[in-house]
Structure formats: C-alpha cells, structure tokens
Amino acid sequence: MKMVTVIVQDEDAGKLVDALVKRGFRSTRLQSRGGFLRAGNSTILLGVDDSRLEDALRAIRENCRTRTRSIVPMPTMIEQGEFPMAQPVDVEVGGATIFVTNVEYYEQV
Ligand code: 2BA
C-alpha cells in the first residue's frame, strides 16, 4: 500500500476529491498553507493499493492545473535575496506536488 500526499491549489481540491470518490478512492482533505507564498492550499491524503496507484496519479494529473500568481515580495524575501525589489512578480504554482511513500501497516478499527 502507498500513502499519496498531494498538495494542490484550493481551486482544484474539490474537483479532485470528487474525481477520486467517483473512482472509488478514499481521501482526507486538510487545509494547509504554502511556506513560500503563505497562501492557503489543500493537502489531500490518499491511502491506495499499489495496483491502483497509477489510477490515482492519473486523476490528480487530470484535475489539477498550473496557474500564475502575481505576488508582491515581502521584505523578508528581499532580505534573503529571493527577489531583488518589492515589485510584483509572477510565480507559477502547481498543478500538484505529489509525494508517494510506502505504508508499513494499515488498519481500520
Ligand atoms: P508555496 O511554498 O507557497 O510555493 C508556491 C510556489 O512558489 C511554488 O509552486 C513555486 O513555483 C514557487 N516557489 C516556492 N519556493 C520558492 C523559492 N524559494 N523561490 C522561488 N519560487 C518559489 P509549487 O512548486 O507548485 O508548490 C506549490 C505548493 O506545494 C507550495 O506552496 C508548498 O505548499 C507545496 N510544496 C511544493 N514543494 C514542496 C516540497 N518539496 N515540500 C513540501 N511542500 C511543497
């Protein structure tokens, strides 16, 4: 079994969960916040059988898309040299950041 941890934009999270339910996957949606933009996003946890991993990844690829966000860098970002000036910059976010880990043990009581 695998644990798929997927970080998606809030705009895509509802559609993705619907698609997962339709395909028979169980999932948990958590509200989260990116460390860089400090903007809200969603983290979805999915426990899946190895044989269904590809199907789950396909659902994620089909339902999450990349968007461009325009941000004004915060003073800390400028100090850290990530951006040279406090002018709006475009940052490409998502579709999805996906981590797949092996599950050692799983039980539902
Ligand atoms: P944030 O950390 O808010 O990052 C939003 C977007 O800002 C990123 O999109 C990336 O395009 C850009 N970005 C992040 N750090 C940057 C930096 N140091 N310099 C320049 N640009 C930077 P994504 O890569 O699609 O990430 C979307 C969200 O996924 C992230 O939101 C974070 O919540 C999560 N994420 C991405 N990679 C991760 C990782 N390795 N571990 C944990 N969470 C991750």
Side-chain angles (χ1 to χ4, degrees):
M1 185 176 214
K2 306 285 189 221
M3 172 60 70
V4 181
T5 305
V6 50
I7 303 159
V8 302
Q9 296 173 68
D10 284 337
E11 291 92 325
D12 294 328
K15 201 164 57 123
L16 174 58
V17 171
D18 288 348
L20 291 169
V21 169
K22 258 188 214 146
R23 291 177 196 224
F25 290 106
R26 295 180 179 192
S27 67
T28 298
R29 177 178 170 176
L30 309 171
Q31 284 305 316
S32 46
R33 186 176 291 269
F36 188 67
L37 297 183
R38 268 68 159 191
N41 54 25
S42 292
T43 299
I44 295 168
L45 305 177
L46 279 162
V48 301
D49 283 334
D50 290 17
S51 62
R52 299 212 60 209
L53 177 62
E54 273 312 312
D55 193 19
L57 295 176
R58 205 172 305 122
I60 296 166
R61 292 183 190 119
E62 286 173 5
N63 287 282
C64 300
R65 66 182 184 84
T66 302
R67 294 182 183 82
T68 302
R69 302 264 183 238
S70 191
I71 60 154
V72 178
M74 289 174 289
T76 48
M77 291 175 169
I78 297 163
E79 277 164 27
Q80 288 160 7
E82 283 163 356
F83 295 97
M85 290 182 291
Q87 287 194 347
V89 284
D90 286 343
V91 175
E92 200 165 86
V93 185
T97 300
I98 305 168
F99 300 93
V100 178
T101 46
N102 286 317
V103 174
E104 262 183 41
Y105 180 73
Y106 168 71
E107 179 179 352
Q108 282 193 299
V109 178

